[in-house]
Structures are given as structure tokens and as C-alpha cells.
Amino acid sequence: MRQPVHGGNLAWAAALAGCPPEAILDFSASISPLGPPNSAIAAIYAQIDNLRHYPEPEYSELRSALGSWHQLPPEWILPGNGSAELLTLAGRELANLSGTMLVTPAFGDYYRTLTAYNANILEFPLSLTGQWEILSPLSALGNYGLLLNNPHNPTGRLFLREAILPHLEQYALVVVDEAFMDFLPPHGEQSLIDMVPKYPNLVVLRSLTKFYSLPGLRLGYAIAHPERLAQWQSWRDPWPVNNLAAAAAIAAIQDQEFQQRTWKWLPPARKQLFQGLASIPGLQPLEGSANFLLVASQSSTCQLQQQLLEHHQILIRDCRSFKELGDRFFRVAVRCDADNQRLLKALYSIAVDH
């Protein structure tokens, strides 16, 4: 079985570990351990009878709910089959430009969608330790695009709004993937959603699968000018979002108790995991603002991943798909305290054995 590019492939991990998939403790996929919310599960059950019906083509109820949440008219929002589907549509548009500036290390799906449409990719590497700024290395950017995520994956670093806003004046199209932004509480997030009405060249992508633990439902949405979204709608297959996913999304975004619980849980859990990783010889985690941590390792992370699977049934995300990182970095999700402690104990035992 081929090693996966993405995290969360439990079938591959179980084959290597020699155990059932359900026995794997998965730190490779950055999914909240607190969900799915009971409200979303109840909404799914309530929609079971609607499996015999096609989804409503315009997703009016879902778009209205998302619009109310973000204080935008529904026509500024387009739900999709995960943000990956919407990223593919963005890639098609970016490929029509002279080039697309890609902030690296970058999520592998960015290369997938840009390469699929033969886009001209211009890589701009970020320092993992220095000042985090997005620079414009080109002198004439009028027909160029910019694609980045915030918080940044795989580092977890957060760009301030002020660092991105000047580029909305410079690039023909700016696509900001905010898949992990909802892990920050409203007073701390740096979203550009409220800037979309002012900048017709701005697209913001959001995911509902990570924060609400619903990756199996595949649900994300784009926020952009209605004319752009109408064009995207004409490019894709009908009914990309199923009835169960739409119902779960409407319930989840209205679940304020779950949101507050997540915002209260994450910072101390992340800090505790960070401190535990930093105390293990040969490991150095990077500070981050998302629900995962990038960790530098003095030894091969490919070998470390294999040892954790074979001896501890724990799966971490190696970073070899991020060509700037290679075999000396790995990424781990922040999970519940018992899971985090199990990971730390396993990593420590491997470090001591070496």
C-alpha cells in the first residue's frame, strides 16, 4: 500500500502497525478531538429520510445560515464538497494569470490544483525562525495571483491582517485558505472575510471539517464576489454537498457551546503538548496558533513514524511532502490530554533508546 501524502490514512498505518485501523491513535490529521458536536449528529439523524431526495441545488438554507454567521448576503457564499473542491476551482482561475505566488512550505493540494491546470507557480519560501512577512518579490504584480493559508499549514503560524491587506492592492487574485482560522476565538482571529465586499479580487476559503470534527462529510465554503461564485458554480458538477452535510453544517455553526468549549480547551492543551515535546531530547516544536504543532527533529522522522506505528500504534504526520522540510520535521495534532501524554511517553522512550 502506497504511503499517503495526506494525514489520516488509517488503513495504511494499520497495515504497517499490524493492527486494526481503529487501534491507531491518529496524530497525523489535524481534527479536533472534541467533536463532532451532538447538535450536528442530531441534525444528521433528523435528515435521514431526506436521503431519498436530491439536495436543493442552490443550498439556500445553508448559504443563508453561513451568511448570517458572517454577516454577508447568501450570494457571497458558495458551499462545496470540502474546501478541496473549491480550491480546485480557485486553481482553474489562478492558472489564467501570468503566475501564482505560492507561500512555502505549502499544503500539497495547492500544488495539485495549480499543476492540474498548468499554472505558472512562483514559490516564495518563508523563514521558519525569522520575521514572518509576506513580501512581493515581483516588480509588476498586476496579472499575478497569491495563494496562502492563514494560520499557515504546516507551521501553524498566524499572519496578521495587516500583513496581507497590502497585497490585495497588488495581485489580480488573492486566495486565502482559512481552514484553521476558526480555532482562534473571535477576538484573536485575523480573518479577511469582512474585506471580501471591498476587494472583488479576494477569495476566502473555509472548512467546517476540522473544527467540528466532520472530515468524513466533506464540507467547506468559499466567500467571494457573487459574479466569481456564479462562474465557479457553472464549472462544477451539480449537488456537490449532500443533505446530511448541509444539515450538520447549519447545526454546527449555531452551536455556541461547542465553539466556546473548543476555544477554552485548545490554548492550554497546545501549550502542554508544546512543553512536553520541547523536553524530549532531539525535538524542537515551533510555536503555533492552530490545533497542530510542527516539530523539528535531529533524527529521521520517517524512521520515527515507523517506530511509533510498529511499537506504539501511534501515527504522526511526516513532512516529506513539504519539500522544504523533508525528513527532519513532523507534525502532530493537539488531542485530549490522555492521548497527548501517550504520544509524549512514546516519543521519550524512543529518544532514550537512541
Side-chain angles (χ1 to χ4, degrees), residues 190-207:
Q190 299 293 313
S191 177
L192 292 183
I193 288 176
D194 65 325
M195 302 304 295
V196 172
K198 183 179 178 180
Y199 291 94
N201 62 325
L202 172 62
V203 175
V204 176
L205 302 181
R206 281 289 186 115
S207 170

Side-chain angles (χ1 to χ4, degrees), residues 11 43 49 78 83 96 112 175 191 198 200 217 233-234 247 292 304-305 311 319 321 332:
D49 285 345
L78 183 67
S83 57
N96 292 325
R112 172 194 62 80
V175 179
S191 177
K198 183 179 178 180
L217 280 182
Q233 178 84 309
S234 70
F292 57 82
L304 179 61
Q305 183 187 60
H311 302 295
C319 290
S321 64
V332 290

Side-chain angles (χ1 to χ4, degrees), residues 220-237:
Y221 56 100
I223 300 176
H225 193 281
E227 291 184 6
R228 169 167 279 117
L229 297 184
Q231 179 70 69
W232 287 17
Q233 178 84 309
S234 70
W235 290 342
R236 65 180 187 170
D237 297 334

Side-chain angles (χ1 to χ4, degrees), residues 219-291:
L219 187 64
Y221 56 100
I223 300 176
H225 193 281
E227 291 184 6
R228 169 167 279 117
L229 297 184
Q231 179 70 69
W232 287 17
Q233 178 84 309
S234 70
W235 290 342
R236 65 180 187 170
D237 297 334
W239 310 297
V241 179
N242 65 71
N243 286 332
L244 302 187
I250 293 170
I253 62 175
Q254 296 173 349
D255 194 333
Q256 296 184 12
E257 187 278 331
F258 181 83
Q259 295 160 4
Q260 293 291 339
R261 184 156 57 95
T262 303
W263 294 330
K264 183 178 180 180
W265 155 77
L266 180 56
R270 184 176 56 221
K271 180 179 180 180
Q272 186 177 41
L273 180 59
F274 178 94
Q275 292 173 340
L277 290 166
S279 70
I280 297 174
L283 300 183
Q284 181 54 63
L286 278 67
E287 296 276 4
S289 298
N291 65 322

Side-chain angles (χ1 to χ4, degrees), residues 36-349:
N38 291 334
S39 58
I41 298 300
I44 290 172
Y45 277 112
Q47 286 293 314
I48 293 297
D49 285 345
N50 276 335
L51 289 178
R52 68 188 72 189
H53 303 298
Y54 284 104
E56 192 262 303
E58 297 300 321
Y59 299 101
S60 301
E61 186 178 0
L62 175 56
R63 295 171 87 167
S64 293
L66 290 168
S68 296
W69 192 27
H70 291 299
Q71 299 181 328
L72 287 171
E75 58 267 24
W76 290 76
I77 298 172
L78 183 67
N81 188 248
S83 57
E85 184 213 1
L86 301 163
L87 178 62
T88 299
L89 300 175
R92 177 172 175 173
E93 217 179 324
L94 288 165
N96 292 325
L97 302 175
S98 299
T100 295
M101 185 63 60
L102 188 61
V103 178
T104 62
F107 180 39
D109 258 17
Y110 298 165
Y111 288 100
R112 172 194 62 80
T113 184
L114 292 172
T115 302
Y117 293 107
N118 298 313
N120 179 25
I121 301 175
L122 305 169
E123 296 176 323
F124 176 60
L126 291 172
S127 169
L128 297 180
T129 57
Q131 183 70 27
W132 276 70
E133 296 178 350
I134 309 173
L135 304 178
S136 298
L138 302 176
S139 57
L141 298 175
N143 196 40
Y144 286 80
L146 172 65
L147 174 58
L148 72 153
N149 46 13
N150 193 29
H152 184 257
N153 177 19
T155 66
R157 297 294 296 269
L158 182 68
F159 293 116
L160 298 179
R161 282 165 52 97
E162 290 71 22
I164 304 176
L165 287 175
H167 303 283
L168 300 179
E169 305 284 353
Q170 297 173 300
Y171 289 88
L173 178 59
V174 176
V175 179
V176 183
D177 180 358
E178 296 185 352
F180 295 97
M181 188 66 78
D182 42 8
F183 282 99
L184 287 100
H187 67 272
E189 72 169 21
Q190 299 293 313
S191 177
L192 292 183
I193 288 176
D194 65 325
M195 302 304 295
V196 172
K198 183 179 178 180
Y199 291 94
N201 62 325
L202 172 62
V203 175
V204 176
L205 302 181
R206 281 289 186 115
S207 170
L208 290 172
T209 59
K210 299 169 177 63
F211 186 89
Y212 297 103
S213 310
L214 295 168
L217 280 182
R218 310 305 309 130
L219 187 64
Y221 56 100
I223 300 176
H225 193 281
E227 291 184 6
R228 169 167 279 117
L229 297 184
Q231 179 70 69
W232 287 17
Q233 178 84 309
S234 70
W235 290 342
R236 65 180 187 170
D237 297 334
W239 310 297
V241 179
N242 65 71
N243 286 332
L244 302 187
I250 293 170
I253 62 175
Q254 296 173 349
D255 194 333
Q256 296 184 12
E257 187 278 331
F258 181 83
Q259 295 160 4
Q260 293 291 339
R261 184 156 57 95
T262 303
W263 294 330
K264 183 178 180 180
W265 155 77
L266 180 56
R270 184 176 56 221
K271 180 179 180 180
Q272 186 177 41
L273 180 59
F274 178 94
Q275 292 173 340
L277 290 166
S279 70
I280 297 174
L283 300 183
Q284 181 54 63
L286 278 67
E287 296 276 4
S289 298
N291 65 322
F292 57 82
L293 291 171
L294 181 66
V295 186
S297 172
Q298 293 180 5
S299 58
S300 167
T301 56
C302 182
Q303 295 179 10
L304 179 61
Q305 183 187 60
Q306 185 171 346
Q307 290 175 305
L308 285 170
L309 280 173
E310 292 179 349
H311 302 295
H312 303 278
Q313 298 178 338
I314 294 175
L315 175 61
I316 61 172
R317 171 76 150 84
D318 74 71
C319 290
R320 288 183 297 167
S321 64
F322 301 98
K323 57 186 178 181
E324 298 83 2
L325 302 182
D327 195 32
R328 288 296 183 267
F329 286 85
F330 65 91
R331 196 190 68 194
V332 290
V334 181
R335 295 183 57 91
C336 65
D337 182 64
D339 292 348
N340 293 340
Q341 292 303 317
R342 180 177 159 187
L343 171 67
L344 293 171
K345 183 178 179 181
L347 287 170
Y348 183 79
S349 67

